[in-house]
Amino acid sequence: MATLGRTRLSGGLALAMTAGLALPVCAGTGENALLIIDPTNPVSVRVGNHYKAVRNIPDSNVLYLHSGANSYAEFVATNQAAFVDTLAQRGIGPMVDYVVLAPSSIFSIPATGLIVDSCSTVRRFSISSCYAFSQISSTIIPNTPVETTNQVYSTSDVASWFDASVGFVNGVQSGAPTARRFYIGALLGYTGATGNSPEAIMSMIDRSAAVDGTRPAGTFYYMNNPADTARNVRQPTYAAAVSALTTRGALAQQLSNLELPTNRQDILGIMTGASNLNFAGSNMNILPGAFCDHLTSYAATLDSTSQTKVSAWIDAGASASAGTVEEPCNYTGKFPHARLHVWYYQGMPLGAAYFRSLQYMPYQNLFYGDPLTRPFARIPTVSAAGIPSGPVSGTIVISPTTAATAPGASILAIDLVVDGVVRQSIASPVAGRTFTLDTSTLSDGWHDVRIVARDNSAVRNQGRWVGSMVTRNFWRTVSLGVEPDTGDLSQTFVFTPSATGGTVTQSRSEERRVGKECRSRW
């Protein structure tokens, strides 16, 4: 393949490495996600911060932004620009593969006059796909066919790694001019009437993170429902998926004349076709980590009460579901292929397996749930020594210890990530290799420090060590006193700045409003 991944070097901090070497990444940990929280939505703030904590997402990887727009053109000019510029300005672009949207009242963006569909007019794009298209939005122009191929889609049963900085052609990483680059977009939840409660979304987040790397026992179910011919169109693909799963050691079944796997207690995933599902009468148990969907018109049309919604799967115990935000017609290319579970079982994160399963560009497709879920990953072990517990100055040596856990795999690369930015990389590591970090290149104060390792398996399993340090090279501090320290919007506050370690040449205040909160920066 022409391109293996992304170069992970940063100025004078880079270790000596083979010139031009690029290192592949598989998304799966908090460093790989940019979390967007809507500061005007209390549920978005509450649940978004919960997701940040559970997934241990760096502060640098959180963007406070109203995620919606009045049109796709406006989205590209405003939201997309803010997202892309944030990655560049913070230097975190090389790590980010996923855009995870905290729960919102917005699930789609108006997008009329762009996509041509002879069956039903395309008037909306899903909010998750709008962010996923951030690197290829210039190619979405009037008269674009709805059947345009999603270049990440693959007809192979073999799993693969995903990297947002690498182009894909026909499911294979490529540097060709025709290759397309994507992010994987996801909406954690919907705050409207057809969505989930904050508690249900947080429960989904908790169980999804807890199941990572546990390789749970259970069965993938494919439902042959001939009574609903319009929604049973994926059934011809089920037998091959069952065979591919069982060949790899998984349990999988195709059940006939049923909409749901009733009386089953071991459900790792469901693919079915039905408009209205009877969860209450099913007597089934969906296990943490499961992806379930039901190929129907309005599953993710969350401003309509017609048909069962994707949110119902979350309440039933799944980690994610997917649907379309308007009438899609029953093109199989618009819906997840049965291979999704095959790749997922091989260790791919759920969001990556989902995106790879969509034959057509997912204009109308909404991924709903936690895309970082990876119960079948073989997570490498990572530890680190050499980071002092107290304030540090000058140069320090950090000694990583890593080990692959996937059969036959070894560690491909290790990154030193400080404040979300890759500072150093070691390719094809051997025992005794260390990171040497000049802390004077960092500002004084607290810093998030992570060691991220990935193996050379097909899915690039990723593990990490997370810690922190305080640097003190310049002995300059700034503080801000406030009197009184409590009050409401009618209270007058007096702020008194002070600084030590040098002559103060300028004192400047900057205020910004976040919802009803006014923040000052000195």
Side-chain angles (χ1 to χ4, degrees):
M1 56 190 70
T3 305
L4 284 178
R6 37 187 140 190
T7 302
R8 295 180 171 274
L9 303 178
S10 179
L13 290 178
L15 287 176
M17 296 176 60
T18 303
L21 179 64
L23 303 178
V25 173
C26 176
T29 55
E31 298 79 23
N32 302 122
L34 183 86
L35 173 63
I36 296 180
I37 297 175
D38 183 349
T40 68
N41 186 321
V43 175
S44 182
V45 174
R46 177 187 175 191
V47 179
N49 281 308
H50 183 76
Y51 188 74
K52 177 184 183 295
V54 171
R55 284 295 182 188
N56 207 336
I57 295 173
D59 292 343
S60 58
N61 290 41
V62 180
L63 173 61
Y64 291 91
L65 176 73
H66 181 66
S67 56
N70 293 318
S71 69
Y72 183 62
E74 179 184 309
F75 172 88
V76 171
T78 57
N79 305 72
Q80 178 180 299
F83 159 59
V84 172
D85 288 351
T86 295
L87 297 183
Q89 291 170 8
R90 297 181 184 177
I92 60 176
M95 288 295 288
V96 171
D97 297 315
Y98 281 48
V99 186
V100 181
L101 305 174
S104 174
S105 59
I106 299 167
F107 65 92
S108 66
I109 298 290
T112 57
L114 294 173
I115 308 303
V116 176
D117 187 338
S118 60
C119 177
S120 182
T121 303
V122 176
R123 298 182 176 89
R124 294 171 163 179
F125 291 170
S126 79
I127 187 68
S128 59
S129 288
C130 286
Y131 285 94
F133 297 157
S134 292
Q135 299 185 86
I136 54 94
S137 57
S138 63
T139 68
I140 303 174
I141 58 177
N143 299 316
T144 299
V146 75
E147 299 92 347
T148 299
T149 299
N150 166 23
Q151 294 297 335
V152 180
Y153 172 76
S154 177
T155 59
S156 170
D157 289 334
V158 179
S160 178
W161 49 272
F162 177 87
D163 186 331
S165 68
V166 174
F168 286 78
V169 175
N170 295 326
V172 178
Q173 295 86 352
S174 172
T178 56
R180 293 290 179 262
R181 299 179 180 182
F182 300 90
Y183 295 98
I184 295 174
L187 180 65
L188 286 176
Y190 177 63
T191 61
T194 61
N196 303 99
S197 69
E199 291 74 20
I201 301 170
M202 290 190 290
S203 177
M204 176 273 294
I205 293 167
D206 292 343
R207 64 177 176 262
S208 300
V211 79
D212 282 357
T214 61
R215 301 191 61 78
T219 304
F220 296 97
Y221 290 98
Y222 295 91
M223 312 307 298
N224 178 11
N225 181 30
D228 192 335
T229 57
R231 298 174 181 85
N232 200 41
V233 291
R234 287 184 296 191
Q235 190 276 331
T237 67
Y238 290 168
V242 169
S243 176
L245 282 163
T246 55
T247 296
R248 289 168 170 79
L251 296 178
Q253 293 183 31
Q254 180 178 184
L255 303 180
S256 296
N257 301 309
L258 290 171
E259 294 180 357
L260 291 170
T262 54
N263 302 315
R264 285 358 189 246
Q265 305 300 308
D266 65 341
I267 300 169
L268 285 174
I270 299 172
M271 281 194 175
T272 188
S275 59
N276 294 284
L277 299 170
N278 180 15
F279 287 103
S282 66
N283 185 33
M284 64 181 186
N285 180 43
I286 297 176
L287 299 175
F291 174 87
C292 306
D293 82 318
H294 56 296
L295 199 151
T296 192
S297 297
Y298 304 121
T301 308
L302 298 172
D303 54 358
S304 167
T305 57
S306 176
Q307 303 184 345
T308 298
K309 303 303 175 189
V310 288
S311 51
W313 289 111
I314 303 302
D315 285 336
S319 286
S321 184
T324 53
V325 298
E326 64 183 349
E327 172 59 63
C329 299
N330 64 344
Y331 306 145
T332 56
K334 287 189 179 184
F335 293 91
H337 193 279
R339 291 189 200 93
L340 183 155
H341 293 312
V342 180
W343 298 320
Y344 190 37
Y345 183 74
Q346 293 174 66
M348 289 184 71
L350 182 49
Y354 165 79
F355 203 89
R356 185 173 168 84
S357 77
L358 300 172
Q359 182 180 2
Y360 297 166
M361 287 276 286
Y363 302 113
Q364 299 159 297
N365 300 71
L366 179 75
F367 182 96
Y368 190 94
D370 185 359
L372 298 184
T373 310
R374 49 178 188 151
F376 302 102
R378 307 273 190 172
I379 300 174
T381 61
V382 184
S383 61
I387 300 179
S389 58
V392 301
S393 61
T395 299
I396 62 173
V397 176
I398 301 172
S399 301
T401 301
T402 62
T405 62
S410 60
I411 297 299
L412 176 68
I414 312 174
D415 294 329
L416 171 62
V417 183
V418 181
D419 300 329
V421 179
V422 178
R423 304 289 177 169
Q424 298 178 12
S425 294
I426 300 174
S428 302
V430 296
R433 291 290 297 273
T434 60
F435 296 115
T436 301
L437 177 63
D438 180 1
T439 65
S440 68
T441 61
L442 305 172
S443 61
D444 278 0
W446 184 91
H447 296 278
D448 181 291
V449 181
R450 300 171 188 236
I451 307 294
V452 179
R454 51 199 178 279
D455 68 20
N456 62 354
S457 68
V459 299
R460 302 297 191 258
N461 291 294
Q462 186 166 294
R464 63 179 174 173
W465 172 91
V466 180
S468 65
M469 67 179 177
V470 175
T471 59
R472 185 178 293 174
N473 287 283
F474 308 106
W475 294 89
R476 294 173 181 171
T477 64
V478 61
S479 61
L480 184 67
V482 58
E483 289 290 340
D485 58 4
T486 61
D488 56 25
L489 293 177
S490 65
Q491 177 68 52
T492 298
F493 296 92
V494 177
F495 296 91
T496 305
S498 61
T500 61
T503 302
V504 178
T505 59
Q506 184 185 53
S507 177
R508 182 180 63 184
S509 68
E510 173 188 323
E511 293 186 351
R512 60 189 177 97
R513 291 191 176 273
V514 180
K516 294 183 178 180
E517 177 185 0
C518 181
R519 298 179 179 176
S520 296
R521 178 181 297 170
W522 291 82

